[in-house]
């Protein structure tokens, strides 16, 4: 019973997307909106195929930037969460600052970063780090701080040091928080990479996008947009997969629910 | 030998005195209960015995050695099993040893035989969420046992279990106590639990709390299956209830 409802829910977005694409195709074909303004889905697919080589070579650059920025963002986020959890005064002093840092729009910092770090990969990585550390820091801090206090006391009765409490209890207890933040950060990382490239650079999907836009090749531009969405979705899918592999105790629930009923 | 002596413990939080001049002792292989209503200061006393908090005055002595304020000697177990959900039962059981820098292999060798004694064979590679409530509590006891050898400090360990599971686990615990000779200090608010399990019961009451009564449970029927239906049991229960 439950299973069929969940597959229905999984199918539903697919049906909606397909429906929208069909409507979009009809609008283009009937020339309700001229195709130079809104290319039809089929022409977008054609552009995607004919431009595949270009798209791929630019995609690797963007992906590289996104993954570096994400990696550094995760490390920075973890460090900030750790320090803030370990030292209460730092928590109280830094937390508001952390929130304020997120109110600065990334589009505004991007040109500054290019001014400071040039047109290479560096300003992109820095921008992505700035946007991705925040979800990790906030979620991990939440995970650390909500660790069961009795559990920590128990570890102390075992004679565990502060580091061992982090290693054996606080970090693994926060693994769900980590993956929740990772999903957000992964999506941020790709979008931030594109924004950073947009402002200035030599290659990457963002640079390519500005180029085709200036050439009024909207079919190619839509192809880039689709590619970016697909990359983000794939990365989120990978994170989900990783979460499943790293939390094997979650996959063993059924026995318990049966016995408790 | 395992002997715990708690001498003249006093503890206040701010100007509020919680414990006043508490002295109790637990001999080897004994099960001793501290019985009191909720909020009387049982857990405070327990934290002092476990070495998690310091008393204002008094000493905790284990085998003639003053261990006041030192943790790591006894492990304690709470109403919540506090098993780590992301570690298997074996992973949980060996955790205390691993924290004390024993190698994983050695810790597993040490823990493996205990699974049989605790009736947990076959659960080594399962996760806590695959076990029933009673089994989880036994797994937590196993970990407590492995953490501190023969001294178990139990803080209302069975109060979250249903009535039937509780009865089974009492019987099982008494058997275990005979088999491996554990020494137990048990905190409880349940008169039945105290009478069923203990060799001696201390009653903790008042503001600040003091030991108001010590009762020895030495009925010849104590180790029989329906001890709780005997007149002796009722007699003890009555005696405790009147002094609470």
């Amino acid at each position: 019973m439950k299973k069929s409802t969940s597959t229905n829910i999984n199918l539903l977005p697919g049906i909606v997307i397909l429906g929208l694409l069909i409507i979009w195709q009809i609008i283009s074909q009937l020339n309700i909106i001229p195709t130079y303004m809104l290319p039809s889905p089929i022409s977008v697919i054609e552009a995607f195929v004919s431009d595949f080589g270009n798209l791929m070579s630019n995609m690797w650059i963007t992906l590289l930037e996104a993954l570096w920025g994400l990696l550094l963002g995760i490390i920075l986020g973890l460090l900030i969460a750790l320090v803030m959890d370990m030292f209460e005064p730092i928590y109280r002093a830094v937390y508001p600052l952390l929130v304020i840092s997120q109110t600065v729009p990334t589009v505004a910092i991007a040109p500054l970063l290019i001014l400071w770090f040039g047109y290479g990969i560096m300003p992109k990585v820095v921008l992505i780090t700035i946007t991705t550390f925040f979800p990790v820091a906030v979620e991990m801090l939440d995970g650390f701080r909500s660790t069961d206090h009795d559990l920590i006391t128990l570890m102390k009765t075992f004679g565990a040091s502060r580091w061992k409490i982090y290693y054996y209890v606080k970090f693994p207890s926060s693994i769900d928080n980590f993956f929740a933040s990772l999903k957000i950060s992964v999506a941020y990382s790709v979008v931030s990479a594109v924004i950073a490239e947009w402002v200035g650079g030599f290659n990457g999907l963002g640079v390519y996008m500005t180029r085709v836009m200036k050439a009024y090749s909207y079919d190619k531009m839509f192809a880039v947009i689709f590619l970016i969405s697909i990359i983000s979705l794939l990365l989120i899918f990978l994170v989900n997969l990783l979460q499943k592999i790293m939390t094997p105790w979650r996959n063993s629930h059924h026995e318990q629910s049966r016995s408790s009923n | 030998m395992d002997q715990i002596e708690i001498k003249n413990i006093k503890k206040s939080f701010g100007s509020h005195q919680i414990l006043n001049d508490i002295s109790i002792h637990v001999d080897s292989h004994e099960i001793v209960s501290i019985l009191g209503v909720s909020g009387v200061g049982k857990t405070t006393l327990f934290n002092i015995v476990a070495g998690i908090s310091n008393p204002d005055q008094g000493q905790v002595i284990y085998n003639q050695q003053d261990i006041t304020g030192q943790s790591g000697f006894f492990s304690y177990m709470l109403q919540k099993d506090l098993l780590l959900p992301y570690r298997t039962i074996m992973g949980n059981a060996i955790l205390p040893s691993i924290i004390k820098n024993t190698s994983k292999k050695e810790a597993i060798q040490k823990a493996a035989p205990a699974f049989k004694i605790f009736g947990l064979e076959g659960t080594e590679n399962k996760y806590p969420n695959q076990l029933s409530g009673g089994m989880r509590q036994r797994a937590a006891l196993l970990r407590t046992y492995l953490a501190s050898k023969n001294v178990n400090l139990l803080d209302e360990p069975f109060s979250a279990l249903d009535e039937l599971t509780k009865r089974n686990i009492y019987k099982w615990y008494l058997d275990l106590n005979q088999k491996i000779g554990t020494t137990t200090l048990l905190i409880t608010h349940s008169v039945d639990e105290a009478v069923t399990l203990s060799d001696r019961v201390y009653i903790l009451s008042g503001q600040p709390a003091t030991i108001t009564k010590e009762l020895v449970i030495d009925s010849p029927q104590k180790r029989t299956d329906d001890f709780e239906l005997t007149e002796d049991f009722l007699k003890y229960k009555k005696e405790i209830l009147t002094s609470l």
Side-chain angles (χ1 to χ4, degrees), chain A residues 150 154 164 168 249 256, chain B residues 76 80 86 98-99 101 129:
Chain A
D150 289 328
L154 183 77
K164 283 186 177 166
Y168 288 110
W249 60 94
Q256 183 222 7
Chain B
Y76 79 32
K80 290 183 274 186
Y86 43 85
I98 285 184
I99 283 173
N101 293 324
N129 66 8

Side-chain angles (χ1 to χ4, degrees), chain B residues 200-241:
Chain B
R200 276 186 299 122
V201 179
Y202 288 104
I203 291 165
L204 192 66
S205 62
Q207 280 269 357
T210 51
I211 299 289
T212 50
K213 193 174 181 63
E214 183 188 344
L215 189 73
V216 181
I217 315 278
D218 56 359
S219 160
Q221 285 151 305
K222 180 156 187 291
R223 297 268 153 140
T224 59
D225 270 356
D226 7 79
F227 175 51
E228 68 216 66
L229 304 174
T230 63
E231 237 166 80
D232 277 4
F233 186 91
L234 279 178
K235 195 190 78 199
Y236 291 126
K237 200 168 166 176
K238 215 174 189 172
E239 208 175 330
I240 290 170
L241 286 172

Side-chain angles (χ1 to χ4, degrees), chain B residues 10-23:
Chain B
K10 280 188 189 171
K11 178 80 182 175
S12 307
F13 288 118
S15 61
H16 187 60
Q17 195 180 3
I18 310 281
L19 302 171
N20 187 25
D21 206 23
I22 309 276
S23 293

Side-chain angles (χ1 to χ4, degrees), chain B residues 25-58:
Chain B
H25 65 97
V26 186
D27 290 330
S28 249
H29 305 337
E30 243 191 337
I31 302 178
V32 173
S33 294
I34 298 171
L35 185 69
V37 292
S38 300
V40 76
K42 293 180 303 229
T43 301
T44 307
L45 178 60
F46 224 52
N47 287 342
I48 291 171
V49 179
I52 298 158
S53 72
N54 274 308
D56 299 336
Q57 257 181 57

Side-chain angles (χ1 to χ4, degrees), chain A residues 124-232:
Chain A
K124 284 91 178 174
V125 173
V126 172
L127 186 81
I128 297 161
T129 307
I130 291 172
T131 46
T132 54
F133 87 92
F134 183 73
V136 178
V138 169
E139 274 285 331
M140 286 308 280
L141 188 66
D142 190 40
F144 289 159
R145 287 173 78 87
S146 60
T147 308
D148 190 340
H149 194 77
D150 289 328
L151 206 52
I152 291 165
T153 312
L154 183 77
M155 290 302 128
K156 284 183 188 158
T157 68
F158 292 159
S161 64
R162 205 171 183 188
W163 288 115
K164 283 186 177 166
I165 290 173
Y166 275 101
Y167 184 77
Y168 288 110
V169 179
K170 284 200 164 190
F171 270 106
S173 299
S174 310
I175 195 162
D176 284 337
N177 300 69
F178 176 71
F179 278 108
S181 66
L182 194 57
K183 272 171 228 174
I184 299 169
S185 289
V186 158
Y188 277 9
S189 70
V190 178
V191 174
S192 303
V194 172
I195 290 175
E197 287 165 353
W198 213 331
V199 179
F202 301 118
N203 4 39
L205 289 177
V207 177
Y208 186 71
M209 204 177 193
T210 50
R211 220 174 276 158
V212 293
M213 204 162 63
K214 279 175 191 154
Y216 296 101
S217 319
Y218 286 152
D219 51 347
K220 285 182 183 173
M221 198 183 81
F222 271 98
V224 180
I225 293 172
F226 275 128
L227 185 60
I228 291 167
S229 296
I230 290 165
I231 293 169
S232 299

Side-chain angles (χ1 to χ4, degrees), chain A residues 13-109:
Chain A
I15 294 168
V16 172
I17 289 169
L18 198 71
L20 284 173
L21 285 175
I22 291 167
I23 294 168
W24 179 3
Q25 181 67 29
I26 291 167
I27 288 172
S28 297
Q29 232 149 24
L30 297 180
N31 236 335
I32 296 170
I33 298 172
T35 47
Y36 64 84
M37 287 175 79
L38 183 70
S40 73
I42 288 173
S43 62
V44 171
I45 292 167
E46 279 166 2
F48 189 89
V49 173
S50 67
D51 220 16
F52 193 71
N54 252 334
L55 284 173
M56 286 301 114
S57 61
N58 283 301
M59 182 185 82
W60 291 121
I61 306 278
T62 305
L63 261 185
L64 193 73
E65 290 162 0
L67 293 181
W68 269 114
L70 185 64
L71 186 71
L72 292 175
I74 290 170
I75 293 171
L76 184 67
L78 285 177
L79 279 177
I80 287 174
L82 190 65
V83 170
M84 281 170 77
D85 185 59
M86 287 180 87
F87 307 103
E88 181 69 24
I90 294 185
Y91 169 76
R92 268 180 290 160
V94 174
Y95 198 84
L97 217 71
L98 209 63
V99 176
I100 290 169
S101 81
Q102 291 307 299
T103 59
V104 181
T106 42
V107 200
I109 337 173

Side-chain angles (χ1 to χ4, degrees), chain B residues 49-83:
Chain B
V49 179
I52 298 158
S53 72
N54 274 308
D56 299 336
Q57 257 181 57
Q59 291 168 300
V60 181
I61 292 164
Y62 175 55
N63 292 344
Q64 268 89 52
Q65 187 192 352
D66 189 343
I67 58 158
T68 316
Q70 296 177 46
S71 60
F73 279 92
F74 323 121
S75 150
Y76 79 32
M77 184 181 145
L78 306 179
Q79 180 183 334
K80 290 183 274 186
D81 56 60
L82 292 178
L83 294 168

